[in-house]
Amino acid sequence: MTAFQTLLYYCYTPIAEAEQFAADHLAFCKSLNLTGRIIVADEGLNGTVSGTREACAAYMAAIRADERFDRLEFKIDDVEEPSFIKMHCRYKAEIVHSGLRDPHIINPNQRTGKHLEPTEFRDMLDRDDVVVLDVRSNYEHNLGRFKNAVTLDIDNFRDFPEKINELAQYKDKKVLTYCTGGIKCEKASALLLHHGFSDVYQLHGGIIKYGKEAGGENFEGKCYVFDNRVAVDVNRVNPTVVSTCRNCGRTTPKMINCANPECNEHFTQCDQCGEELQGCCSVECTTHPRKRTYDGTGYYVKVPQPVNKA
């Protein structure tokens, strides 16, 4: 049994005085010596936190005791060490940046796609009347995705609304949306319904829950996660690697951030090219004066920049 756990969760629920809630919640997390990244908005809560098993248990108990979060589900991973270095809890306009802020059009508490449990999702994957839609960004689905999934050329989820017209050809299909933990699908499926897609579903709990409850069957590659693990295994049934090194084309499951901090691009790179390019995506990036030291992981802790108070 590992000494630490990482918790992934979200909940769309109205939070009054959310900015103050974020400040209080940060203090609470620090009191438990948790590390992680939490976003608080008027529309809800989205977070990944990591710490000792005892600290995680105390955190989950506190969240579950708050009736605003009675629908919240935790995806729990046992880890060898905390998945973050620091604890951040910030107030923002949305808990996942989409630009879809009009509650009269998109409100996950009122209308979303039908939630499918992992085994239900698995059983529908190969049906002729189904299309499986990945609503994540390029660097995520390039690392791993469901077999035969439709992927979109987007760098950020906020670009998703611009792709709706490209999906019109699937309006007569059952559209099964999925993402890492489910949070993006809440708004993506709602937007599809708003634009006239009549039969829309979403993978409840996302890829992470699918791996735990359905063995990850037919998920190809690894799943990108937003902590220092970078990527996690999902498929225990028929695993395969689908990602290739950006630089040489070899098959590789390894994803890193470019060592040039001004580039910081997420990309897949084999170990050989990583050593040759010092963890950079290109020769040009290797010459940057602030290039970070590549330690083989390709994960870098953000260093706070001085604030000019003048």
Side-chain angles (χ1 to χ4, degrees), residues 138-139 141-145 220-222 240-256 266-271 273:
N138 289 328
Y139 63 88
H141 62 65
N142 284 341
L143 182 66
R145 54 195 175 271
E220 300 178 328
K222 291 193 172 190
T240 186
V241 178
V242 294
S243 50
T244 58
C245 176
R246 165 177 173 154
N247 304 105
C248 72
R250 294 187 186 95
T251 299
T252 178
K254 187 175 182 179
M255 171 164 275
I256 71 171
H266 296 66
F267 67 104
T268 45
Q269 185 179 65
C270 69
D271 287 330
C273 289

Side-chain angles (χ1 to χ4, degrees), residues 11 29 43 52 70 170 201 232:
C11 186
C29 291
E43 67 179 8
T52 64
D70 58 357
Y170 305 117
Y201 301 78
V232 297

Side-chain angles (χ1 to χ4, degrees), residues 111-116 133 170-171 173-177 185 188-194 196-203:
R111 191 188 190 204
T112 65
K114 306 177 190 75
H115 286 64
L116 292 174
L133 176 62
Y170 305 117
K171 280 193 173 183
K173 299 274 191 178
K174 291 178 171 63
V175 181
L176 276 56
T177 66
C185 289
S189 66
L191 187 65
L192 289 168
L193 290 167
H194 176 73
F197 291 77
S198 60
D199 217 354
V200 182
Y201 301 78
Q202 62 188 82
L203 173 57

Side-chain angles (χ1 to χ4, degrees), residues 159-219:
D159 300 326
F160 177 79
E162 300 173 4
K163 298 294 181 177
I164 292 293
N165 289 340
E166 294 181 14
L167 300 172
Q169 59 186 303
Y170 305 117
K171 280 193 173 183
D172 62 341
K173 299 274 191 178
K174 291 178 171 63
V175 181
L176 276 56
T177 66
Y178 73 88
C179 60
T180 307
I183 186 171
K184 293 177 181 176
C185 289
E186 300 281 8
K187 288 193 173 181
S189 66
L191 187 65
L192 289 168
L193 290 167
H194 176 73
H195 281 275
F197 291 77
S198 60
D199 217 354
V200 182
Y201 301 78
Q202 62 188 82
L203 173 57
H204 180 55
I207 300 164
I208 300 300
K209 186 175 182 180
Y210 184 85
K212 296 179 183 300
E213 297 186 8
E217 185 175 356
N218 288 328
F219 185 85

